[in-house]
Amino acid sequence: MPHAPAVNPSAEDAYWREAYRREPYYRAGYSYEDYGPAYRVGYTGPVRRTGEFEQLEGALEADFRRVRGRSRLPWAQAREATRAAWSRVTRGEHPH
């Protein structure tokens, strides 16, 4: 059984806060406050859930809707940020 990656939420937040404007899905006019909840769902998802992104997308969308706060992103846009953060931690590219 695969083990969940160790994730440092503070380090992930700091990384994405600095990097989000360089991502291919970034849209001008949106702030980190819009993208942040999607990243949070993405980098905590592999710790909280077992399975692949595609298998869990419905649950991840529900997580985003629950924690989105003032984010203006619809799920179709937030999904890309969630996937990017998910991929970063599952590929082991994050600092522990």
Side-chain angles (χ1 to χ4, degrees):
M1 174 177 220
H3 68 284
V7 173
N8 177 333
S10 296
E12 289 303 304
D13 183 67
Y15 171 83
W16 288 111
R17 188 174 293 276
E18 198 277 328
Y20 80 100
R21 286 185 187 94
R22 295 190 303 268
E23 292 294 307
Y25 50 78
Y26 171 72
R27 296 191 183 191
Y30 287 100
S31 71
Y32 186 74
E33 306 319 310
D34 294 307
Y35 285 96
Y39 289 128
R40 234 176 350 272
V41 168
Y43 62 70
T44 62
V47 176
R48 295 177 294 107
R49 304 187 184 281
T50 302
E52 298 299 319
F53 184 90
E54 292 75 14
Q55 297 169 312
L56 299 170
E57 187 172 342
L60 297 170
E61 179 179 357
D63 290 347
F64 173 72
R65 292 184 188 286
R66 193 168 43 257
V67 302
R68 72 186 300 168
R70 296 194 316 232
S71 174
R72 297 172 291 160
L73 295 179
W75 174 246
Q77 292 174 11
R79 178 184 187 276
E80 298 307 312
T82 300
R83 180 189 269 293
W86 176 285
S87 294
R88 179 173 146 82
V89 298
T90 58
R91 287 191 314 252
E93 296 175 5
H94 61 288
H96 295 286

